[in-house]
Amino acid sequence: MFKKEAKPLSTIILQLLRREGLETPLNEKRIIDSWESVAGQVVANYTDGKFIRNQVLFVRILSPALRSELSMIKSSLVDRLNAQVGARIITDIRFY
């Protein structure tokens, strides 16, 4: 009998997620869940809702002053959020 090359379980799971079209939704969920750790607890306290549509993360910020401050550093936030999941999932953040 011939043995096939053994693959790590993580590789097999990733292939399965890609084949079933679940990799992107899972990464989007990871981005949303990592908002608090990337943005910080203070910002998370002023955050009311988050969702992703067309590679844009929409975040509802309750404080107008904080909203304008975050707008100035949003490219850094995008990079840090994408680094958190290890893939380029979002391209922009919109604060509303």
Coordinates of all heavy atoms in Angstrom, one line a residue:
M1 N 0.8 -1.2 0.0 CA 0.0 0.0 0.0 C 0.9 1.2 0.0 O 1.9 1.3 0.6 CB -0.9 0.0 1.2 CG -2.1 -0.9 1.1 SD -3.3 -1.0 2.4 CE -3.3 0.5 3.2
F2 N 0.4 2.2 -0.7 CA 1.1 3.5 -0.7 C 0.5 4.5 0.2 O -0.8 4.6 0.3 CB 1.1 4.1 -2.1 CG 1.8 3.3 -3.1 CD1 1.2 2.4 -4.0 CD2 3.2 3.4 -3.2 CE1 1.8 1.7 -4.9 CE2 3.9 2.6 -4.1 CZ 3.2 1.8 -5.0
K3 N 1.3 5.2 1.0 CA 0.8 6.2 1.9 C 0.8 7.5 1.2 O 1.8 7.9 0.6 CB 1.6 6.2 3.2 CG 1.5 5.0 4.1 CD 2.2 5.3 5.4 CE 2.0 4.1 6.3 NZ 2.7 4.3 7.5
K4 N -0.3 8.2 1.3 CA -0.3 9.6 0.8 C 0.4 10.5 1.8 O 0.5 10.2 2.9 CB -1.8 10.0 0.6 CG -2.5 9.3 -0.5 CD -3.8 9.9 -0.8 CE -4.4 9.2 -2.0 NZ -5.6 9.9 -2.4
E5 N 0.8 11.6 1.2 CA 1.5 12.6 2.1 C 0.5 13.1 3.1 O -0.6 13.5 2.8 CB 2.0 13.7 1.2 CG 2.8 14.7 2.0 CD 3.3 15.9 1.1 OE1 3.6 15.6 -0.1 OE2 3.3 17.0 1.6
A6 N 1.0 13.0 4.4 CA 0.1 13.5 5.5 C 0.1 15.0 5.5 O 1.1 15.7 5.3 CB 0.7 13.0 6.8
K7 N -1.1 15.6 5.7 CA -1.2 17.1 5.8 C -1.6 17.4 7.2 O -2.4 16.7 7.8 CB -2.3 17.6 4.8 CG -1.9 17.3 3.3 CD -3.0 17.9 2.5 CE -2.7 17.6 1.0 NZ -3.8 18.1 0.1
P8 N -1.2 18.6 7.6 CA -1.6 19.1 8.9 C -3.1 19.3 8.9 O -3.7 19.7 7.9 CB -0.9 20.4 9.2 CG 0.2 20.4 8.2 CD -0.2 19.5 7.0
L9 N -3.7 19.1 10.1 CA -5.2 19.3 10.2 C -5.6 20.7 9.9 O -6.7 20.9 9.3 CB -5.6 18.9 11.6 CG -7.1 18.9 11.9 CD1 -7.9 18.0 10.9 CD2 -7.4 18.5 13.3
S10 N -4.8 21.7 10.3 CA -5.1 23.1 10.0 C -5.2 23.4 8.5 O -6.1 24.1 8.1 CB -4.1 24.0 10.6 OG -2.8 23.8 10.1
T11 N -4.3 22.7 7.7 CA -4.4 22.9 6.3 C -5.7 22.3 5.7 O -6.3 22.9 4.8 CB -3.2 22.2 5.6 OG1 -2.0 22.8 6.2 CG2 -3.2 22.4 4.1
I12 N -6.1 21.1 6.2 CA -7.3 20.5 5.7 C -8.5 21.3 6.1 O -9.4 21.5 5.3 CB -7.4 19.1 6.3 CG1 -6.2 18.2 5.8 CG2 -8.7 18.4 6.0 CD1 -6.1 16.9 6.5
I13 N -8.5 21.8 7.3 CA -9.7 22.7 7.7 C -9.8 23.9 6.8 O -10.8 24.3 6.4 CB -9.6 23.0 9.2 CG1 -9.8 21.7 10.0 CG2 -10.6 24.1 9.6 CD1 -9.6 21.9 11.5
L14 N -8.6 24.6 6.6 CA -8.6 25.8 5.8 C -9.1 25.5 4.3 O -9.9 26.2 3.8 CB -7.2 26.4 5.7 CG -7.0 27.7 5.0 CD1 -7.9 28.8 5.6 CD2 -5.6 28.1 5.1
Q15 N -8.7 24.3 3.8 CA -9.1 24.0 2.4 C -10.6 23.7 2.4 O -11.3 24.1 1.5 CB -8.4 22.7 2.0 CG -7.0 22.9 1.6 CD -6.2 21.6 1.3 OE1 -6.8 20.5 1.6 NE2 -5.0 21.7 0.8
L16 N -11.2 23.1 3.5 CA -12.6 22.9 3.6 C -13.4 24.2 3.7 O -14.4 24.4 3.0 CB -12.9 22.0 4.8 CG -14.4 21.8 5.1 CD1 -15.0 20.9 4.0 CD2 -14.5 21.1 6.5
L17 N -12.9 25.1 4.5 CA -13.5 26.4 4.6 C -13.6 27.2 3.3 O -14.6 27.8 2.9 CB -12.9 27.2 5.7 CG -13.0 26.8 7.2 CD1 -12.2 27.6 8.1 CD2 -14.5 26.9 7.6
R18 N -12.5 27.1 2.6 CA -12.4 27.8 1.3 C -13.3 27.1 0.3 O -14.1 27.8 -0.4 CB -11.0 27.7 0.7 CG -10.1 28.7 1.4 CD -8.7 28.8 0.7 NE -7.9 29.7 1.4 CZ -6.6 29.6 1.5 NH1 -5.9 28.7 0.9 NH2 -5.9 30.6 2.2
R19 N -13.4 25.8 0.3 CA -14.2 25.1 -0.7 C -15.7 25.4 -0.4 O -16.5 25.5 -1.3 CB -14.0 23.6 -0.6 CG -14.7 22.9 -1.7 CD -14.4 21.4 -1.7 NE -14.9 20.8 -0.4 CZ -14.2 19.9 0.3 NH1 -13.0 19.5 -0.1 NH2 -14.7 19.4 1.4
E20 N -16.1 25.5 0.8 CA -17.5 25.7 1.2 C -17.8 27.2 1.2 O -19.0 27.6 1.5 CB -17.8 25.1 2.6 CG -17.6 23.6 2.6 CD -18.5 22.9 1.6 OE1 -19.7 23.3 1.5 OE2 -18.1 21.9 1.0
G21 N -16.9 28.1 1.0 CA -17.1 29.5 1.0 C -17.3 30.1 2.3 O -18.0 31.1 2.5
L22 N -16.7 29.6 3.3 CA -16.9 30.0 4.7 C -15.7 30.8 5.3 O -15.7 31.3 6.4 CB -17.2 28.8 5.6 CG -18.5 28.1 5.3 CD1 -18.6 26.8 6.2 CD2 -19.7 29.0 5.5
E23 N -14.6 30.8 4.5 CA -13.4 31.5 5.0 C -13.6 33.0 5.2 O -13.2 33.5 6.3 CB -12.2 31.2 4.1 CG -10.9 31.8 4.6 CD -9.8 31.6 3.6 OE1 -10.0 31.4 2.4 OE2 -8.6 31.6 4.1
T24 N -14.2 33.7 4.2 CA -14.4 35.1 4.4 C -15.3 35.5 5.5 O -15.0 36.4 6.3 CB -14.8 35.7 3.0 OG1 -13.8 35.4 2.0 CG2 -15.0 37.2 3.1
P25 N -16.5 34.8 5.6 CA -17.4 35.2 6.7 C -16.7 34.9 8.1 O -17.0 35.7 9.0 CB -18.6 34.3 6.5 CG -18.6 33.9 5.1 CD -17.2 33.9 4.7
L26 N -16.0 33.9 8.2 CA -15.3 33.6 9.4 C -14.3 34.7 9.7 O -14.2 35.2 10.9 CB -14.6 32.2 9.4 CG -13.8 31.8 10.6 CD1 -14.8 31.7 11.8 CD2 -13.1 30.5 10.4
N27 N -13.5 35.1 8.7 CA -12.5 36.2 9.0 C -13.2 37.5 9.3 O -12.7 38.3 10.1 CB -11.6 36.3 7.8 CG -10.5 35.3 7.7 OD1 -10.2 34.7 8.8 ND2 -10.0 35.0 6.5
E28 N -14.4 37.8 8.7 CA -15.1 39.0 9.0 C -15.6 39.0 10.4 O -15.5 40.0 11.1 CB -16.3 39.2 8.0 CG -15.9 39.5 6.6 CD -17.1 39.6 5.7 OE1 -18.3 39.2 6.1 OE2 -16.9 40.1 4.6
K29 N -16.0 37.8 10.9 CA -16.4 37.7 12.3 C -15.2 37.9 13.2 O -15.3 38.6 14.3 CB -17.0 36.3 12.5 CG -17.3 36.0 14.0 CD -18.6 36.6 14.4 CE -19.1 36.0 15.7 NZ -18.8 36.9 16.9
R30 N -14.1 37.4 12.8 CA -12.9 37.6 13.6 C -12.5 39.1 13.7 O -12.0 39.6 14.7 CB -11.7 36.8 13.1 CG -11.8 35.4 13.3 CD -10.7 34.6 12.7 NE -10.8 33.2 12.9 CZ -10.2 32.3 12.2 NH1 -9.4 32.7 11.2 NH2 -10.3 31.0 12.5
I31 N -12.6 39.8 12.6 CA -12.4 41.3 12.5 C -13.3 42.0 13.5 O -12.8 42.8 14.3 CB -12.6 41.9 11.1 CG1 -11.5 41.4 10.2 CG2 -12.7 43.4 11.2 CD1 -10.3 42.3 10.0
I32 N -14.6 41.7 13.5 CA -15.5 42.4 14.4 C -15.2 42.0 15.8 O -15.3 42.9 16.7 CB -17.0 42.0 13.9 CG1 -17.3 42.6 12.6 CG2 -18.0 42.4 15.0 CD1 -18.6 42.2 12.0
D33 N -14.9 40.8 16.1 CA -14.6 40.4 17.5 C -13.3 41.0 18.0 O -13.1 41.2 19.2 CB -14.5 38.9 17.6 CG -15.9 38.2 17.4 OD1 -16.9 38.9 17.5 OD2 -15.9 37.0 17.2
S34 N -12.4 41.4 17.1 CA -11.1 41.9 17.5 C -11.1 43.4 17.6 O -10.1 44.0 18.0 CB -10.0 41.5 16.6 OG -10.1 42.0 15.3
W35 N -12.2 44.1 17.4 CA -12.3 45.5 17.4 C -11.9 46.1 18.8 O -11.1 47.0 18.9 CB -13.7 46.0 17.1 CG -13.9 47.5 17.3 CD1 -14.6 48.0 18.3 CD2 -13.4 48.6 16.5 NE1 -14.6 49.4 18.2 CE2 -13.9 49.8 17.2 CE3 -12.6 48.6 15.4 CZ2 -13.5 51.0 16.7 CZ3 -12.3 49.9 14.9 CH2 -12.7 51.1 15.5
E36 N -12.4 45.4 19.9 CA -12.1 45.9 21.2 C -10.6 45.8 21.5 O -10.1 46.8 22.1 CB -12.9 45.1 22.2 CG -12.8 45.6 23.7 CD -13.6 44.8 24.6 OE1 -14.7 44.4 24.3 OE2 -13.2 44.6 25.8
S37 N -10.0 44.8 21.2 CA -8.6 44.6 21.5 C -7.7 45.6 20.7 O -6.7 46.1 21.1 CB -8.1 43.2 21.3 OG -8.2 42.8 20.0
V38 N -8.1 45.8 19.4 CA -7.3 46.7 18.5 C -7.6 48.2 18.9 O -6.6 49.0 19.0 CB -7.6 46.4 17.1 CG1 -7.0 47.5 16.2 CG2 -7.1 45.0 16.7
A39 N -8.8 48.5 19.0 CA -9.2 50.0 19.3 C -9.0 50.4 20.7 O -8.8 51.5 21.0 CB -10.6 50.2 18.8
G40 N -9.1 49.4 21.6 CA -8.9 49.7 23.0 C -10.2 49.7 23.8 O -11.3 49.9 23.2
Q41 N -10.2 49.5 25.1 CA -11.4 49.4 25.9 C -12.2 50.7 25.9 O -13.4 50.7 25.9 CB -11.0 49.0 27.3 CG -12.2 48.8 28.2 CD -13.1 47.7 27.7 OE1 -12.7 46.6 27.3 NE2 -14.4 47.9 27.7
V42 N -11.5 51.9 26.0 CA -12.2 53.2 26.0 C -13.0 53.4 24.7 O -14.2 53.8 24.8 CB -11.2 54.3 26.2 CG1 -11.9 55.7 26.1 CG2 -10.5 54.2 27.5
V43 N -12.4 53.1 23.6 CA -13.2 53.3 22.3 C -14.3 52.2 22.3 O -15.4 52.6 21.8 CB -12.2 53.1 21.1 CG1 -12.9 53.1 19.8 CG2 -11.1 54.2 21.1
A44 N -14.1 51.0 22.7 CA -15.1 50.0 22.7 C -16.3 50.4 23.6 O -17.4 50.1 23.2 CB -14.5 48.7 23.2
N45 N -16.0 51.2 24.6 CA -17.2 51.6 25.5 C -18.1 52.6 24.7 O -19.2 52.7 25.1 CB -16.6 52.3 26.8 CG -16.0 51.3 27.7 OD1 -16.3 50.1 27.6 ND2 -15.2 51.7 28.6
Y46 N -17.5 53.3 23.8 CA -18.3 54.3 23.0 C -18.8 53.7 21.6 O -19.3 54.4 20.8 CB -17.5 55.5 22.7 CG -17.3 56.4 23.9 CD1 -16.2 56.3 24.7 CD2 -18.3 57.3 24.3 CE1 -16.0 57.1 25.8 CE2 -18.2 58.1 25.4 CZ -17.0 58.0 26.2 OH -16.9 58.8 27.3
T47 N -18.6 52.4 21.4 CA -19.0 51.7 20.2 C -20.3 51.0 20.4 O -20.5 50.3 21.4 CB -17.9 50.6 19.8 OG1 -16.7 51.3 19.6 CG2 -18.3 49.9 18.6
D48 N -21.3 51.3 19.5 CA -22.6 50.8 19.7 C -22.9 49.6 18.7 O -23.6 48.7 19.1 CB -23.6 51.9 19.5 CG -25.0 51.5 19.8 OD1 -25.2 50.6 20.8 OD2 -26.0 51.9 19.2
G49 N -22.3 49.6 17.5 CA -22.6 48.5 16.6 C -21.5 48.5 15.5 O -20.9 49.5 15.2
K50 N -21.3 47.3 15.0 CA -20.3 47.0 13.9 C -20.8 46.0 12.9 O -21.5 45.1 13.3 CB -19.0 46.5 14.6 CG -18.4 47.3 15.7 CD -17.3 46.6 16.4 CE -17.7 45.4 17.2 NZ -18.4 45.6 18.4
F51 N -20.5 46.3 11.7 CA -20.8 45.3 10.6 C -19.9 45.5 9.4 O -19.3 46.6 9.3 CB -22.3 45.3 10.2 CG -22.7 46.6 9.5 CD1 -22.7 46.7 8.2 CD2 -23.2 47.6 10.3 CE1 -23.1 47.9 7.5 CE2 -23.7 48.8 9.7 CZ -23.6 48.9 8.3
I52 N -19.8 44.5 8.6 CA -18.9 44.7 7.4 C -19.8 44.5 6.1 O -20.6 43.6 6.1 CB -17.8 43.6 7.4 CG1 -16.9 43.8 8.6 CG2 -17.0 43.6 6.1 CD1 -15.8 42.8 8.8
R53 N -19.6 45.4 5.2 CA -20.3 45.3 3.9 C -19.3 45.7 2.8 O -18.7 46.8 2.9 CB -21.5 46.2 3.9 CG -22.3 46.0 2.6 CD -23.6 46.8 2.6 NE -24.5 46.2 3.6 CZ -25.3 47.0 4.3 NH1 -25.3 48.3 4.2 NH2 -26.1 46.4 5.2
N54 N -19.1 44.9 1.8 CA -18.2 45.2 0.7 C -16.8 45.6 1.1 O -16.2 46.6 0.7 CB -18.8 46.3 -0.2 CG -20.1 45.9 -0.9 OD1 -20.3 44.7 -1.1 ND2 -21.0 46.8 -1.1
Q55 N -16.2 44.8 2.0 CA -14.9 45.0 2.6 C -14.7 46.4 3.3 O -13.6 46.9 3.5 CB -13.8 44.9 1.5 CG -13.7 43.6 0.9 CD -12.6 43.5 -0.1 OE1 -12.4 44.4 -1.0 NE2 -11.8 42.5 0.0
V56 N -15.8 46.9 3.8 CA -15.8 48.1 4.6 C -16.4 47.8 5.9 O -17.5 47.3 6.0 CB -16.5 49.3 3.9 CG1 -16.5 50.5 4.8 CG2 -15.9 49.6 2.6
L57 N -15.6 48.1 7.0 CA -16.1 48.0 8.4 C -16.9 49.2 8.8 O -16.3 50.3 8.7 CB -14.9 47.7 9.3 CG -15.3 47.6 10.8 CD1 -16.2 46.5 11.1 CD2 -14.0 47.5 11.6
F58 N -18.1 49.1 9.1 CA -18.9 50.2 9.6 C -19.0 50.1 11.1 O -19.4 49.1 11.6 CB -20.3 50.2 9.0 CG -20.4 50.5 7.5 CD1 -20.2 49.4 6.6 CD2 -20.6 51.7 7.0 CE1 -20.2 49.7 5.2 CE2 -20.6 52.0 5.7 CZ -20.4 51.0 4.8
V59 N -18.6 51.2 11.8 CA -18.6 51.2 13.3 C -19.4 52.4 13.7 O -19.1 53.6 13.3 CB -17.2 51.3 13.8 CG1 -17.2 51.2 15.3 CG2 -16.3 50.2 13.2
R60 N -20.4 52.2 14.6 CA -21.2 53.3 15.2 C -20.5 53.7 16.4 O -20.4 53.0 17.4 CB -22.6 52.8 15.5 CG -23.4 54.0 16.0 CD -24.9 53.7 16.0 NE -25.6 54.8 16.4 CZ -26.6 54.8 17.3 NH1 -27.0 53.7 17.8 NH2 -27.2 55.9 17.6
I61 N -20.1 55.0 16.4 CA -19.4 55.6 17.6 C -20.3 56.6 18.2 O -20.9 57.5 17.4 CB -18.1 56.3 17.1 CG1 -17.1 55.3 16.5 CG2 -17.4 56.9 18.3 CD1 -16.6 54.2 17.4
L62 N -20.6 56.6 19.5 CA -21.5 57.4 20.1 C -21.0 58.9 20.4 O -21.8 59.8 20.5 CB -22.0 56.8 21.4 CG -22.6 55.4 21.3 CD1 -22.9 54.8 22.7 CD2 -23.9 55.5 20.5
S63 N -19.7 59.1 20.4 CA -19.2 60.4 20.7 C -18.6 61.0 19.4 O -17.8 60.5 18.7 CB -18.0 60.3 21.6 OG -17.2 61.4 21.7
P64 N -19.2 62.2 19.0 CA -18.7 62.9 17.8 C -17.2 63.2 17.8 O -16.5 63.1 16.8 CB -19.6 64.1 17.7 CG -20.8 63.8 18.5 CD -20.3 62.9 19.6
A65 N -16.7 63.6 19.0 CA -15.3 64.0 19.1 C -14.4 62.7 18.8 O -13.4 62.8 18.1 CB -15.0 64.6 20.4
L66 N -14.8 61.6 19.4 CA -14.1 60.4 19.2 C -14.2 59.9 17.8 O -13.2 59.4 17.2 CB -14.6 59.3 20.2 CG -13.9 58.0 20.1 CD1 -12.4 58.1 20.5 CD2 -14.6 57.0 21.1
R67 N -15.3 60.1 17.2 CA -15.5 59.7 15.8 C -14.5 60.4 14.9 O -13.9 59.9 14.0 CB -16.9 60.0 15.4 CG -17.3 59.4 14.0 CD -18.8 59.7 13.6 NE -19.7 59.5 14.7 CZ -20.6 60.4 15.2 NH1 -20.7 61.5 14.6 NH2 -21.4 60.1 16.2
S68 N -14.4 61.8 15.1 CA -13.4 62.5 14.2 C -12.0 62.1 14.5 O -11.2 62.1 13.6 CB -13.7 64.0 14.4 OG -13.1 64.5 15.6
E69 N -11.7 61.9 15.8 CA -10.3 61.4 16.1 C -10.0 60.1 15.5 O -8.9 59.9 15.0 CB -10.2 61.4 17.7 CG -8.8 61.3 18.1 CD -8.7 61.4 19.6 OE1 -9.4 62.2 20.2 OE2 -7.9 60.7 20.2
L70 N -10.9 59.2 15.5 CA -10.7 57.9 14.9 C -10.6 57.9 13.4 O -9.8 57.2 12.8 CB -11.8 56.9 15.3 CG -11.8 56.4 16.8 CD1 -13.1 55.6 17.0 CD2 -10.6 55.6 17.1
S71 N -11.3 58.9 12.8 CA -11.2 59.1 11.4 C -9.7 59.4 10.9 O -9.3 59.0 9.8 CB -12.1 60.2 10.9 OG -13.4 59.8 11.1
M72 N -9.0 60.1 11.8 CA -7.6 60.4 11.5 C -6.7 59.2 11.5 O -5.6 59.3 10.8 CB -7.1 61.5 12.4 CG -7.8 62.9 12.1 SD -7.1 64.2 13.1 CE -8.2 64.2 14.5
I73 N -7.0 58.2 12.3 CA -6.1 57.1 12.4 C -6.7 55.8 11.8 O -6.3 54.7 12.1 CB -5.7 56.8 13.8 CG1 -6.9 56.5 14.7 CG2 -4.9 58.0 14.4 CD1 -6.6 55.9 16.0
K74 N -7.7 55.9 10.9 CA -8.4 54.7 10.4 C -7.5 53.8 9.6 O -7.7 52.6 9.6 CB -9.7 55.1 9.7 CG -9.6 55.8 8.4 CD -11.0 56.0 7.9 CE -11.0 56.8 6.6 NZ -12.3 56.9 6.1
S75 N -6.6 54.4 8.8 CA -5.7 53.5 8.0 C -4.9 52.6 8.9 O -4.6 51.5 8.6 CB -4.8 54.3 7.1 OG -3.9 55.2 7.8
S76 N -4.4 53.2 10.0 CA -3.7 52.4 11.0 C -4.6 51.3 11.6 O -4.1 50.1 11.8 CB -3.1 53.2 12.1 OG -2.6 52.5 13.2
L77 N -5.8 51.6 11.9 CA -6.8 50.6 12.4 C -7.0 49.5 11.4 O -7.1 48.4 11.8 CB -8.1 51.3 12.8 CG -8.0 52.2 14.1 CD1 -9.3 53.0 14.2 CD2 -7.7 51.4 15.3
V78 N -7.2 49.9 10.2 CA -7.4 48.9 9.1 C -6.2 47.9 9.1 O -6.5 46.7 9.0 CB -7.6 49.6 7.7 CG1 -7.5 48.5 6.6 CG2 -8.9 50.3 7.7
D79 N -5.0 48.4 9.1 CA -3.8 47.6 9.0 C -3.8 46.6 10.2 O -3.5 45.5 10.1 CB -2.6 48.4 8.9 CG -2.5 49.1 7.6 OD1 -3.1 48.7 6.6 OD2 -1.7 50.1 7.6
R80 N -4.1 47.2 11.4 CA -4.0 46.4 12.6 C -5.1 45.3 12.7 O -4.8 44.2 13.2 CB -4.0 47.3 13.9 CG -2.7 48.1 14.0 CD -2.8 49.2 15.0 NE -3.4 48.9 16.3 CZ -3.8 49.8 17.1 NH1 -3.7 51.1 16.8 NH2 -4.4 49.4 18.3
L81 N -6.3 45.7 12.3 CA -7.4 44.7 12.2 C -7.1 43.6 11.3 O -7.3 42.4 11.6 CB -8.7 45.4 11.9 CG -9.3 46.2 13.0 CD1 -10.4 47.1 12.5 CD2 -9.9 45.3 14.1
N82 N -6.6 43.9 10.1 CA -6.2 42.9 9.1 C -5.1 42.0 9.6 O -5.1 40.8 9.4 CB -5.9 43.5 7.7 CG -7.1 44.0 7.0 OD1 -8.1 43.4 7.0 ND2 -6.9 45.0 6.2
A83 N -4.1 42.6 10.3 CA -3.0 41.8 10.8 C -3.5 40.9 11.9 O -2.9 39.8 12.1 CB -2.0 42.8 11.4
Q84 N -4.5 41.3 12.6 CA -5.1 40.4 13.7 C -5.6 39.1 13.2 O -5.5 38.1 13.8 CB -6.2 41.2 14.4 CG -6.7 40.6 15.7 CD -5.8 40.9 16.9 OE1 -4.9 41.7 16.8 NE2 -6.1 40.2 18.0
V85 N -6.2 39.1 12.0 CA -6.7 37.9 11.4 C -5.8 37.3 10.4 O -6.0 36.1 9.9 CB -8.1 38.1 10.7 CG1 -9.1 38.5 11.7 CG2 -8.1 39.0 9.6
G86 N -4.7 38.0 10.0 CA -3.7 37.4 9.0 C -4.2 37.4 7.6 O -3.6 36.7 6.8
A87 N -5.1 38.3 7.2 CA -5.6 38.4 5.8 C -6.1 39.8 5.6 O -6.5 40.5 6.5 CB -6.7 37.3 5.6
R88 N -6.2 40.2 4.3 CA -6.7 41.5 4.0 C -8.2 41.3 3.8 O -8.7 41.0 2.7 CB -6.0 42.0 2.7 CG -6.4 43.4 2.4 CD -5.3 44.2 1.8 NE -5.7 45.5 1.4 CZ -5.6 46.6 2.2 NH1 -5.2 46.5 3.5 NH2 -6.0 47.8 1.8
I89 N -9.0 41.6 4.8 CA -10.4 41.4 4.8 C -11.1 42.7 4.6 O -12.1 42.8 3.8 CB -10.9 40.8 6.1 CG1 -10.2 39.4 6.3 CG2 -12.4 40.6 6.1 CD1 -10.4 38.4 5.3
I90 N -10.7 43.8 5.2 CA -11.3 45.1 5.1 C -10.3 46.1 4.4 O -9.1 45.9 4.6 CB -11.8 45.7 6.4 CG1 -10.7 45.8 7.4 CG2 -12.9 44.8 7.0 CD1 -11.1 46.6 8.7
T91 N -10.9 47.0 3.7 CA -10.0 48.0 3.0 C -10.3 49.4 3.6 O -9.5 50.3 3.3 CB -10.3 48.1 1.5 OG1 -11.7 48.3 1.3 CG2 -9.9 46.7 0.8
D92 N -11.4 49.6 4.3 CA -11.7 50.9 4.9 C -12.6 50.7 6.1 O -13.2 49.7 6.3 CB -12.4 51.7 3.8 CG -12.5 53.2 4.1 OD1 -11.8 53.7 5.0 OD2 -13.4 53.9 3.5
I93 N -12.6 51.8 6.9 CA -13.5 51.9 8.0 C -14.4 53.1 7.9 O -13.8 54.2 7.6 CB -12.8 51.9 9.4 CG1 -11.9 50.7 9.6 CG2 -13.8 52.0 10.6 CD1 -11.1 50.7 10.8
R94 N -15.6 53.0 8.1 CA -16.5 54.2 8.1 C -17.1 54.3 9.5 O -17.7 53.3 10.0 CB -17.6 54.1 7.1 CG -17.1 53.9 5.7 CD -17.3 55.1 4.8 NE -16.6 54.9 3.5 CZ -17.1 54.3 2.5 NH1 -18.3 53.9 2.5 NH2 -16.4 54.2 1.4
F95 N -17.0 55.5 10.1 CA -17.6 55.7 11.4 C -18.9 56.5 11.2 O -18.9 57.5 10.5 CB -16.6 56.5 12.3 CG -15.3 55.8 12.5 CD1 -14.2 56.2 11.8 CD2 -15.2 54.7 13.3 CE1 -13.0 55.5 12.0 CE2 -14.0 54.0 13.5 CZ -12.9 54.5 12.8
Y96 N -19.9 56.1 11.9 CA -21.2 56.8 11.8 C -21.8 56.9 13.1 O -21.4 56.4 14.1 CB -22.2 56.0 10.8 CG -22.6 54.7 11.3 CD1 -23.9 54.5 11.9 CD2 -21.9 53.5 11.2 CE1 -24.3 53.3 12.4 CE2 -22.3 52.3 11.6 CZ -23.5 52.2 12.2 OH -24.0 51.0 12.6

